[in-house]
Amino acid sequence: MRLSTRLTIAMVALVLLATTAVGVLTYRNIALFALPRALDRIDTHAELLASELAASVRGARADVLGFRSSVAVIDIMTAHLDRGTDPTVAATEVEARRRLGLRFAAELVSKPNYHVFRYIGADDGGRELVRVDRLDPGGPPRIVPDIELQRKADREAFRQTIGLPPTEVYVSQVDLDIETPGIPVLRVATPVHAPDGRPFGILIINVDLRPAFDRIRSSSARGGRSYVVNDRGDYLVHPDP
């Protein structure tokens, strides 16, 4: 083999060796510094998004507990319990339900992530006493007429909430709303007890998670994707609808 050929082979080998060494060092630097920093950024971003979801729950918890002792809620309960002995309280109950419906509607106006706010009695199959709902986040609320009020005693949220002690709050898993398919909701509820301690009904808010999930999707870094998974492993947010 000619000397020039051997020198060429040696130079190529040296270049390959140097390139390999640089590649290995670069990879080690990325592994040691860049990847941990990227993971820290992802972790911080995930914590911020999780805090936003948790804030929705905290607000709903405070609202159901606050309404539990409101005058309208107590007036409805008092009139309902006295209905068998005093027929004149029927008009009082109707007026109290009207006032509570207006207050629920005001809550939905000020909190666009609320999908449904209702007061459900324990008797008559868990029949709704007052319900205010809306279809779209930020859309106008609707006070549901009596003829459309439903019985909810067979629903998981009702069964779980009605047996809770006073001031306790039930928070459901995230699932799709039954009445309005396709809307992911979180249900937050608390029981209402009669003066003798018996459960009279529950107050419950359906939190519409579409706005929060939309913000999670739109907040992904360029080229990145965001996912939300519950503790059962079900995807709540996924790039593929």
Side-chain angles (χ1 to χ4, degrees):
M1 184 180 294
R2 296 173 57 184
L3 179 61
S4 61
T5 302
R6 291 200 295 270
L7 288 174
T8 300
I9 293 173
M11 291 177 64
V12 170
L14 183 61
V15 170
L16 290 174
L17 181 62
T19 302
T20 302
V22 170
V24 170
L25 289 174
T26 301
Y27 175 79
R28 285 176 58 84
N29 287 333
I30 291 174
L32 288 174
F33 300 105
L35 286 179
R37 289 177 182 175
L39 290 173
D40 285 342
R41 287 196 298 271
I42 292 173
D43 187 55
T44 301
H45 185 60
E47 288 181 356
L48 289 173
L49 296 176
S51 297
E52 183 175 341
L53 290 176
S56 298
V57 179
R58 285 196 298 271
R61 286 173 63 99
D63 284 338
V64 294
L65 288 174
F67 268 90
R68 196 176 65 89
S69 57
S70 68
V71 173
V73 166
I74 294 173
D75 284 349
I76 291 171
M77 176 178 64
T78 302
H80 202 82
L81 293 174
D82 291 342
R83 187 186 295 176
T85 58
D86 184 358
T88 64
V89 299
T92 302
E93 181 178 351
V94 169
E95 173 59 20
R97 288 168 61 184
R98 186 191 67 83
R99 286 189 284 111
L100 186 60
L102 292 174
R103 289 199 58 191
F104 283 174
E107 286 293 309
L108 266 68
V109 168
S110 64
K111 294 166 184 173
N113 61 321
Y114 284 5
H115 175 50
V116 183
F117 204 151
R118 60 187 129 203
Y119 186 17
I120 305 174
D123 59 359
D124 193 16
R127 184 175 176 80
E128 294 171 327
L129 300 170
V130 181
R131 181 171 102 234
V132 178
D133 59 19
R134 65 170 153 217
L135 294 179
D136 300 315
R142 177 183 72 115
I143 299 176
V144 177
D146 287 356
I147 195 172
E148 295 183 31
L149 297 178
Q150 302 171 345
R151 292 176 175 84
K152 299 290 183 179
D154 62 333
R155 300 295 171 84
E156 179 70 14
F158 182 88
R159 293 198 304 266
Q160 293 287 341
T161 306
I162 198 66
L164 290 177
T167 74
E168 289 292 317
V169 175
Y170 164 80
V171 179
S172 74
Q173 295 276 353
V174 177
D175 58 16
L176 296 179
D177 186 63
I178 296 174
E179 283 81 18
T180 315
I183 298 181
V185 296
L186 184 75
R187 297 172 179 83
V188 181
T190 194
V192 176
H193 289 83
D196 61 3
R198 290 181 300 166
F200 172 77
I202 71 170
L203 288 163
I204 182 167
I205 297 173
N206 287 15
V207 181
D208 185 347
L209 293 177
R210 286 179 297 175
F213 286 172
D214 287 343
R215 286 192 292 271
I216 289 173
R217 292 187 184 95
S218 63
S219 67
S220 299
R222 181 178 299 178
R225 296 180 176 181
S226 294
Y227 302 81
V228 178
V229 183
N230 66 15
D231 58 359
R232 299 190 300 253
D234 304 318
Y235 284 107
L236 306 177
V237 172
H238 192 286
D240 182 355

